[in-house]
Amino acid sequence: MKFGVPPVHITLDGPAGVGKSSLARLLAEKLGLPFLDTGAMFRCIALRLGEKGLGLGGDALAGELHKLDFALSGEGGTFVLLCNGKDPGPAIRSEAVGVLASRFAALPEVREFTRGKQRAIGEGFSLVAEGRDLGTAVFPRARVKFFLEARTEVRGARRQKQLAAQGSRERLEDLVEQIRRRDELDRGRSLAPLKPAEDAVIIDTSDLSLEEVLEELLQRARPACGL
């Protein structure tokens, strides 16, 4: 979906539980752009390679990674990230896979591999993308960059509600601890750490509804996209 030359990239970065995926999906729909869920890439890698994959050396890990291919499929405002031609489905959304994905994301071979795939998807096309380091490392020239934040306890409660809707019961204390662990991994890694780009718009979503945050995103994104 061409949307300008060069293409317009809009990035939403931030830690787990701030609503990035839901907001990026809605923002993309409102703007008529594809949505790229980069976090799903790391989750697919974690699910496919498992704990054993973390112990692989450079060439061995690179070899396993290059068995995976990612592509966006869809039309209009509905796009799905495919892994080897298939929708990975809900299996990648567990908290355990999320924590493992953060560990894989700290590996240079994984970052290089996913960065290349993300840039390839975005080359020549406009899109809305969400992740951890899109505005700083993947699309540093993005037209609009957002960094979303929220208090840890709020993020844990949101995750608990989301899992409950999927039929899974989790203790809030456990979810908050898992989120804290992921934050430490994401913010503390030396390679592409989680942090806002210097020119990012920072929004704390703790006390805002999804609709309120979306409206703020739209107010800033539409002028940049010429809408």
Side-chain angles (χ1 to χ4, degrees):
M1 182 179 294
K2 301 277 185 184
F3 197 77
V5 181
V8 174
H9 295 147
I10 299 173
T11 61
L12 281 78
D13 290 318
V18 291
K20 295 190 308 296
S21 295
S22 297
L23 286 163
R25 198 181 301 276
L26 288 169
L27 181 61
E29 182 179 336
K30 293 289 186 180
L31 296 176
L33 297 175
F35 162 58
L36 175 60
D37 180 0
T38 63
M41 288 187 177
F42 294 105
R43 288 172 172 266
C44 284
I45 291 170
L47 186 64
R48 292 295 184 95
L49 302 189
E51 287 274 356
K52 293 182 179 179
L54 293 170
L56 295 176
D59 289 342
L61 178 56
E64 291 299 315
L65 290 172
H66 284 287
K67 294 178 182 178
L68 304 177
D69 187 41
F70 294 98
L72 276 180
S73 177
E75 59 184 16
T78 304
F79 283 80
V80 175
L81 181 70
L82 303 181
C83 180
N84 290 349
K86 296 181 180 180
D87 181 350
I92 65 171
R93 298 300 174 183
S94 73
E95 283 302 306
V97 171
V99 172
L100 187 58
S102 291
R103 295 173 67 188
F104 272 103
L107 302 177
E109 297 88 350
V110 174
R111 302 303 303 191
E112 181 180 358
F113 172 75
T114 55
R115 188 178 298 129
K117 292 295 183 181
Q118 292 157 13
R119 287 175 176 167
I121 290 174
E123 186 176 354
F125 289 88
S126 295
L127 50 78
V128 175
E130 68 91 4
R132 298 287 196 278
D133 65 345
L134 298 182
T136 55
V138 182
F139 299 119
R141 297 183 180 179
R143 186 75 61 86
V144 188
K145 303 174 185 177
F146 296 106
F147 190 90
L148 307 183
E149 298 179 324
R151 296 187 297 274
T152 307
E153 292 73 16
V154 172
R155 290 188 279 143
R158 288 173 178 171
R159 183 60 176 156
Q160 184 184 47
K161 183 177 180 181
Q162 182 183 35
L163 291 171
Q166 299 171 3
S168 177
R169 294 181 179 274
E170 301 285 346
R171 293 195 334 139
L172 179 59
E173 295 83 357
D174 294 338
L175 292 174
V176 169
E177 180 58 28
Q178 289 171 350
I179 287 174
R180 284 188 177 133
R181 287 172 56 198
R182 290 183 63 184
D183 284 353
E184 289 177 0
L185 287 169
D186 291 339
R187 296 181 190 275
R189 65 184 180 227
S190 59
L191 180 65
L194 171 66
K195 64 178 182 179
E198 292 184 359
D199 54 346
V201 177
I202 300 175
I203 301 174
D204 190 323
T205 71
S206 298
D207 301 313
L208 299 175
S209 67
L210 189 73
E211 292 75 17
E212 288 172 329
V213 180
L214 178 61
E215 183 58 33
E216 185 165 352
L217 297 177
L218 285 168
Q219 287 181 4
R220 294 178 180 274
R222 279 175 169 152
C225 296
L227 296 176

